[in-house]
């Protein structure tokens, strides 16, 4: 194959170019939808929200990620470690295979062809994303002043949950063993949460409930599990393969009904979803 006048790219070089164009997380020859469990939701649950760190790069197929989401069919899903191309693929699978229509808001804070494909001079976006069955407005994406070992940030949208408008935040804090960086990040995030009387905060905080860096969040919101508190974190369900609770649905001005952590083979984090009691206001 000739790439430009007089320039020959051998097979090994072409393989690299193809990988860059396709991306390491793209699926190859994806089959039709796999059957959902008998107790799977049959339509979007209007008062249900979910958070899930997809794990990147972990080699999971987007069709399997979509099936996992379709099983619980939340009104709003916050994703972390999400490539923009993967999110669009997941959204398409949800609609075409399961009849679930979602709007997408991307909160990419990194452009990474190594993680997300594209080409070196035009890489794919990587960071957070929100899928919502209702339209979203007032989207913001903020990169934390210090991301730690990798750029991190939060995004926020206004959308409907249980028929009521609510501000939804989605974040991914600095990696483990970077407590001081996370403390600075939660102060930034808490300042924005405090502006809203009613908010849902989703994300991978990379910290257990009793970690000091989460204090600003606990001062404003409660965990979706009434038993899960900084002083009683032994009662908190774990959400990761290493048996730690790092993933949260924090609620401000909203009452939880029930919540579930569901084991999955498609990530090192388990999906966490919760049903909420939404009142007009």
């Amino acid at each position: 194959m000739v790439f430009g006048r007089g320039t020959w790219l051998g097979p090994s070089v072409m393989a690299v170019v193809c990988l860059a164009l396709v991306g390491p997380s793209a699926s190859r020859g994806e089959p039709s939808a796999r059957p959902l469990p008998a107790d799977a939701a049959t339509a979007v649950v209007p008062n249900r929200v979910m958070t899930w760190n997809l794990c990147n790069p972990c080699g999971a197929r987007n069709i399997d990620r979509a099936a996992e989401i379709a099983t619980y069919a939340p009104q709003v899903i916050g994703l972390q470690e999400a490539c923009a191309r993967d999110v669009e693929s997941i959204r398409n699978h949800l609609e075409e295979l399961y009849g679930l229509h979602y709007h997408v808001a991307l909160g990419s804070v990194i452009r990474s062809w190594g993680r997300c494909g594209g080409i070196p001079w035009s890489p794919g976006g990587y960071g957070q994303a929100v899928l919502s069955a209702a339209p979203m407005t007032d989207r913001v994406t903020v990169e934390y002043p210090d991301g730690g070992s990798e750029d991190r940030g939060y995004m926020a949208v206004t959308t409907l949950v249980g028929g009521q408008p609510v501000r939804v935040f989605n974040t991914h804090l600095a990696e483990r063993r970077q407590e001081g960086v996370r403390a600075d990040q939660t102060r930034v995030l808490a300042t924005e949460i405090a502006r809203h009387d009613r908010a849902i905060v989703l994300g991978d905080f990379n910290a257990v409930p009793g970690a000091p860096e989460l204090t600003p969040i606990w001062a404003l919101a409660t965990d979706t599990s009434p038993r899960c508190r900084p002083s009683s974190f032994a009662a908190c369900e774990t959400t990761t393969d290493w048996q730690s609770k790092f993933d949260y649905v924090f609620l401000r001005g909203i009452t939880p009904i029930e919540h579930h952590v569901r084991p999955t083979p498609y990530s090192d984090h388990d999906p966490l979803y919760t049903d909420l009691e939404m009142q007009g206001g």
Side-chain angles (χ1 to χ4, degrees):
M1 176 178 179
V2 176
F3 188 84
R5 182 174 298 174
T7 301
W8 175 264
L9 296 183
S12 61
V13 177
M14 284 305 303
V16 172
V17 172
C18 289
L19 176 61
L21 291 172
V22 174
S25 57
S27 300
R28 298 175 178 84
E30 290 181 339
S32 58
R34 64 178 172 84
L36 299 182
D39 61 347
T42 57
V44 168
V45 182
N47 66 328
R48 178 172 294 173
V49 299
M50 173 174 154
T51 184
W52 191 20
N53 183 315
L54 295 180
C55 184
N56 187 308
C58 281
R61 302 181 308 169
N62 292 324
I63 198 167
D64 291 323
R65 291 164 166 168
E68 198 80 347
I69 293 171
T71 298
Y72 314 114
Q75 173 80 6
V76 171
I77 309 107
L79 301 175
Q80 304 87 42
E81 296 195 24
C83 290
R85 180 185 289 106
D86 288 340
V87 174
E88 292 293 344
S89 175
I90 291 167
R91 190 267 299 271
N92 291 341
H93 287 320
L94 286 167
E95 183 165 4
E96 295 169 4
L97 302 178
Y98 301 106
L100 302 173
H101 176 73
Y102 286 99
H103 303 266
V104 170
L106 299 172
S108 302
V109 293
I110 298 176
R111 310 295 296 183
S112 173
W113 77 274
R115 282 187 183 269
C116 298
I119 49 181
W121 54 91
S122 182
Y126 172 80
Q128 288 73 245
V130 172
L131 278 66
S132 174
M136 292 174 276
T137 60
D138 302 319
R139 179 180 66 85
V140 298
T141 299
V142 176
E143 185 175 336
Y144 292 123
D146 183 0
S149 55
E150 179 180 80
D151 292 343
R152 295 288 165 90
Y154 75 85
M155 63 179 298
V157 299
T158 297
T159 189
L160 297 179
V161 176
Q164 299 298 321
V166 63
R167 194 65 170 165
V168 177
F169 294 83
N170 182 22
T171 192
H172 188 192
L173 299 189
E175 295 177 348
R176 288 176 285 175
R177 297 180 294 277
Q178 300 181 48
E179 294 84 355
V181 176
R182 289 197 298 274
D184 291 339
Q185 293 171 349
T186 55
R187 282 191 286 269
V188 171
L189 180 59
T191 298
E192 293 305 310
I193 297 171
R195 298 174 54 201
H196 302 273
D197 293 332
R198 185 164 60 178
I200 300 170
V201 187
L202 310 171
D204 173 5
F205 285 73
N206 270 318
V208 297
E213 61 264 33
L214 295 189
T215 299
I217 307 299
W218 286 113
L220 296 170
T222 58
D223 187 78
T224 184
S225 170
R227 300 183 302 159
C228 184
R229 296 291 181 268
S231 59
S232 58
F233 59 84
C236 304
E237 292 181 77
T238 61
T239 63
T240 67
D241 285 356
W242 48 95
Q243 299 302 302
S244 294
K245 177 176 172 63
F246 280 0
D247 305 272
Y248 295 82
V249 176
F250 282 113
L251 303 173
R252 177 170 168 85
I254 298 171
T255 302
I257 299 175
E258 61 178 354
H259 74 284
H260 301 274
V261 178
R262 297 303 192 196
T264 178
Y266 305 117
S267 174
D268 56 357
H269 290 249
D270 295 325
L272 164 62
Y273 73 86
T274 185
D275 296 341
L276 307 174
E277 180 179 323
M278 303 296 296
Q279 300 177 349

